[in-house]
Amino acid sequence: MSTRTHSGGHAALDVLVIGGGVIGLVTAWYAARRGLRCAVADPGPGGGAAEVAAGMLAAVTELHHGEEALLDLNLASAARYPDFVAALEDAAGTGVGYRACGTLAVALDADDRALLRELHALQERCGLRTQWLTGRECRRLEPMLAPGVRGGLRVDGDHQVDPRRLVAALLTACERAGVVFHRALARQLTVAHGRAAGAVLADGTAVAAGAVVLAAGCRSGELAGVPAEVVPPVHPVKGQILRLRVPPAHAPFLARTVRAVVRGSQVYLVPREDGELVIGATTEERGWDTTVTAGGVYQLLRDAHELVPGLTELPLTECRAGLRPGSPDNAPLLGPSGLDGLYLATGHYRNGVLLAPLTGEVLAECVTGGGPPAVAAPFRPGRFAVRRAEEVPA
């Protein structure tokens, strides 16, 4: 295949973003807003993990033991969301389905209640504001909940956004900001004089750029030409998700996001303003498989039915499976890669939509010569290079 060079082989671009999912798009938009000449390489921009995400902005209810640094990152991004949404909706001229509706996490039996109590204690130790409710108080907030609910946590700061509308708005905002789209897969990183200098696309086009941001989700580790020591250690984690439709006669069905642990499995229900109800999501280590399975659909409907029995009357409109970009510590890789000119924005796992505004800010700062804010420092890609060096036998 012949190779064609974009704009005569000179660095016509300041930034080439590889990957057109929510992370790649927000990075391109933030860079373009700073006056940088920017392009995105992706055969289908607007797809990726966000296409099958529920859009929970769950900095508090996604907290796990040992992830306090990630909590700080998630909270920092959640705090940026109102201004981010306002700027994006103004730039795109369309809404993104942002709802400041809060979240209710509930327990269905004694074991679930004990786990939720432990989570509440952890939240309190971290200085988070959550409120423990009795089962009756939970049902007063959400009358559709099952009578057997034993208790719950009211989290007023965990909100939601519609990821599909968010990505559509980012596409429009990028186009209006002058971002160029190359609708082809990036095949190989171009390295010249010891630094990243662009990429060769699957159609043979060579795109030159002063900086490259690798934001290809779970495929970020597959780009040829990236030196082995800086290849991001990301892998796919499968998630199946369902969408139901709430007819006007059944509305309002739920006022806020409701989530629970049912027999050890996480389940959540996210009600949209337009009547859609999203149920998710499984977590499966199945490699690159995106098959929707009877078992996955059954698990989600079974657990959601125990939580909200009335949902069995709702039409089922979609069953999908997607791949989240996991990392060894379930946290993102943000910033310089170790190869001059190559930056990483990947490995966001379950928090890609939540971390979109902060990721865009961090990468735009990095490619313009600055450093990431202190809250993002623990998520530099180099943390894994240190681990790999320690694992090499003497």
Side-chain angles (χ1 to χ4, degrees), residues 24-30 32 40 88 169-181:
L25 292 175
V26 76
T27 297
W29 183 52
Y30 270 65
V40 172
L88 179 57
L170 282 168
L171 275 170
T172 300
C174 282
E175 290 168 349
R176 291 182 175 180
V179 174
V180 176
F181 285 91

Side-chain angles (χ1 to χ4, degrees), residues 193-269:
H193 308 294
R195 65 172 288 121
V200 178
L201 309 185
D203 63 3
T205 302
V207 182
V212 177
V213 177
L214 184 50
C218 54
R219 297 193 179 276
S220 296
E222 297 195 321
L223 181 66
V226 178
E229 64 272 17
V230 300
V231 172
V234 294
H235 66 281
V237 182
K238 179 180 177 179
Q240 300 187 53
I241 198 165
L242 311 177
R243 285 180 165 80
L244 287 69
R245 175 62 53 184
V246 180
H250 290 73
F253 193 79
L254 292 173
R256 73 206 74 222
T257 299
V258 174
R259 56 189 302 160
V261 177
V262 182
R263 291 181 295 274
S265 297
Q266 294 273 354
V267 66
Y268 49 77
L269 293 84

Side-chain angles (χ1 to χ4, degrees), residues 2 35 68 73 133 153 161 189 193 215 237 259-260 289 292 297-298 356 369 380 386:
S2 64
E68 286 77 10
L73 189 75
L133 302 178
L153 284 174
V161 70
L189 180 71
H193 308 294
V237 182
R259 56 189 302 160
D289 172 44
V292 175
V297 173
Y298 169 73
R380 291 177 180 268
V386 172

Side-chain angles (χ1 to χ4, degrees), residues 130-326:
T130 60
Q131 180 184 4
W132 181 263
L133 302 178
T134 65
R136 180 175 297 177
E137 289 170 328
C138 290
R139 290 188 296 277
R140 189 175 300 132
L141 283 179
E142 297 291 348
M144 297 300 292
L145 285 173
V149 166
R150 298 290 190 91
L153 284 174
R154 178 173 176 171
V155 185
D156 288 338
D158 277 6
H159 303 314
Q160 61 160 284
V161 70
D162 186 333
R164 293 180 177 180
R165 295 177 66 187
L166 176 68
V167 168
L170 282 168
L171 275 170
T172 300
C174 282
E175 290 168 349
R176 291 182 175 180
V179 174
V180 176
F181 285 91
H182 295 279
R183 295 178 182 269
L185 188 71
R187 186 179 67 197
Q188 182 166 357
L189 180 71
T190 302
V191 180
H193 308 294
R195 65 172 288 121
V200 178
L201 309 185
D203 63 3
T205 302
V207 182
V212 177
V213 177
L214 184 50
C218 54
R219 297 193 179 276
S220 296
E222 297 195 321
L223 181 66
V226 178
E229 64 272 17
V230 300
V231 172
V234 294
H235 66 281
V237 182
K238 179 180 177 179
Q240 300 187 53
I241 198 165
L242 311 177
R243 285 180 165 80
L244 287 69
R245 175 62 53 184
V246 180
H250 290 73
F253 193 79
L254 292 173
R256 73 206 74 222
T257 299
V258 174
R259 56 189 302 160
V261 177
V262 182
R263 291 181 295 274
S265 297
Q266 294 273 354
V267 66
Y268 49 77
L269 293 84
V270 184
R272 304 268 191 247
E273 287 183 330
D274 64 1
E276 183 178 71
L277 180 66
V278 182
I279 302 176
T282 65
T283 300
E284 308 168 53
E285 297 285 351
R286 301 285 185 181
W288 299 99
D289 172 44
T290 55
T291 304
V292 175
T293 65
V297 173
Y298 169 73
Q299 175 189 320
L300 290 173
L301 287 177
R302 177 199 64 198
D303 294 349
H305 173 259
E306 289 202 30
L307 190 61
V308 181
L311 65 81
T312 55
E313 303 297 322
L314 304 179
L316 177 62
T317 60
E318 184 178 295
C319 305
R320 290 282 297 274
L323 301 173
R324 311 178 187 93

Side-chain angles (χ1 to χ4, degrees), residues 306-355:
E306 289 202 30
L307 190 61
V308 181
L311 65 81
T312 55
E313 303 297 322
L314 304 179
L316 177 62
T317 60
E318 184 178 295
C319 305
R320 290 282 297 274
L323 301 173
R324 311 178 187 93
S327 74
D329 58 4
N330 295 331
L333 292 78
L334 302 174
S337 69
L339 173 66
D340 194 21
L342 178 64
Y343 302 86
L344 302 184
T346 188
H348 291 72
Y349 191 39
R350 298 173 66 92
N351 294 307
V353 174
L354 169 61
L355 288 174

